[in-house]
Amino acid sequence: GENVEQHPSTLSVQEGDSAVIKCTYSDSASNYFPWYKQELGKRPQLIIDIRSNVGEKKDQRIAVTLNKTAKHFSLHITETQPEDSAVYFCAARFSGSARQLTFGSGTQLTVLP
Amino acid sequence: EAGVAQSPRYKIIEKRQSVAFWCNPISGHATLYWYQQILGQGPKLLIQFQNNGVVDDSQLPKDRFSAERLKGVDSTLKIQPAKLEDSAVYLCASSTFGGANEKLFFGSGTQLSVL
């Protein structure tokens, strides 16, 4: 079935450094790739998304890149701050009429002050 | 804009008991999803509704789980009887269906502990 793999599972960075999280997907017809941030005990919140007709998208300190040929996409956070500490999930919407999202297993990001 | 509402926030039950969760999606969102999130994992889809019809329930353990969305708005998810491995956060999410601006929004979830 459809699969999304996410790496690394944990990531620690110093405040001010950059963080990169990578995901690969299995269905080459996938067309939508969102990223969610989940703080402890809270709901996953959409922070940025990208569609298959775009290679890169930025929103202030966060950016997402998509390589359709290699079937992978990445989240980049620059100038990290302690409030960026959370679990980040990537997801992919696979082809088909149901338009469901399949999620990666998550990355625990810790920004050290 | 009001978000996706879920209740209860927490539930503790013993194995073999039954439990029900409630979800009210964002107004106007035709599509409603129930996800199960086991600690340390990503959300896993259980069932997807489009209005009051089921689009996909292929990953719903139908021997014990059931869900309904009778009037195409609110939804309930039931587990009967519960097993220890059902301990998880149950997330409801909603979206519009189709179009360039389709995005998925989650509720705060119900944390279920089965003892």
Side-chain angles (χ1 to χ4, degrees):
Chain A
E2 295 83 359
N3 190 42
V4 176
E5 293 192 0
Q6 183 171 347
H7 300 280
S9 57
T10 60
L11 178 61
S12 292
V13 299
Q14 290 295 136
E15 182 177 358
D17 287 351
S18 295
V20 181
I21 303 170
K22 298 181 179 179
C23 290
T24 59
Y25 57 97
S26 57
D27 183 355
S28 58
S30 299
N31 59 9
Y32 175 63
F33 308 91
W35 285 89
Y36 286 81
K37 175 183 180 182
Q38 188 174 29
E39 296 177 48
L40 188 63
K42 296 190 176 180
R43 71 184 76 191
Q45 292 202 308
L46 178 66
I47 56 171
I48 195 167
D49 56 11
I50 192 168
R51 298 180 193 275
S52 58
N53 58 346
V54 175
E56 183 176 1
K57 183 177 178 181
K58 283 186 177 181
D59 183 2
Q60 299 182 348
R61 296 187 298 107
I62 60 173
V64 57
T65 58
L66 171 64
N67 183 327
K68 287 190 295 182
T69 303
K71 293 190 289 185
H72 68 70
F73 56 111
S74 300
L75 178 71
H76 304 254
I77 306 174
T78 58
E79 301 173 21
T80 53
Q81 301 168 3
E83 52 264 38
D84 295 330
S85 295
V87 178
Y88 291 81
F89 292 98
C90 64
R93 185 166 65 206
F94 294 95
S95 57
S97 60
R99 306 175 67 79
Q100 300 161 1
L101 290 178
T102 297
F103 285 83
S105 55
T107 297
Q108 173 69 61
L109 173 64
T110 302
V111 180
L112 305 170
Chain B
E1 173 180 283
V4 178
Q6 286 189 250
S7 67
R9 188 73 177 88
Y10 304 94
K11 191 72 177 178
I12 300 173
I13 62 173
E14 294 186 349
K15 60 183 179 183
R16 292 188 289 273
Q17 286 187 324
S18 62
V19 64
F21 315 126
W22 173 83
C23 173
N24 180 247
I26 293 172
S27 178
H29 281 193
T31 308
L32 184 148
Y33 309 81
W34 284 101
Y35 283 86
Q36 180 193 57
Q37 187 176 24
I38 293 173
L39 187 64
Q41 298 181 19
K44 172 192 162 187
L45 180 70
L46 292 174
I47 189 168
Q48 176 186 353
F49 291 95
Q50 175 70 11
N51 296 311
N52 61 349
V54 175
V55 175
D56 186 350
D57 63 358
S58 59
Q59 298 185 78
L60 187 74
K62 298 180 187 64
D63 58 333
R64 298 183 300 105
F65 286 64
S66 63
E68 60 183 12
R69 194 184 184 199
L70 292 176
K71 297 183 179 179
V73 180
D74 294 4
S75 177
T76 56
L77 175 70
K78 297 179 181 178
I79 307 175
Q80 182 179 10
K83 292 186 175 181
L84 296 177
E85 57 261 37
D86 297 333
S87 294
V89 175
Y90 290 84
L91 293 164
C92 180
S94 71
S95 72
T96 56
F97 188 82
N101 293 321
E102 180 182 352
K103 298 178 189 292
L104 190 72
F105 296 94
F106 283 94
S108 297
T110 296
Q111 185 170 327
L112 174 66
S113 296
V114 182
L115 306 178

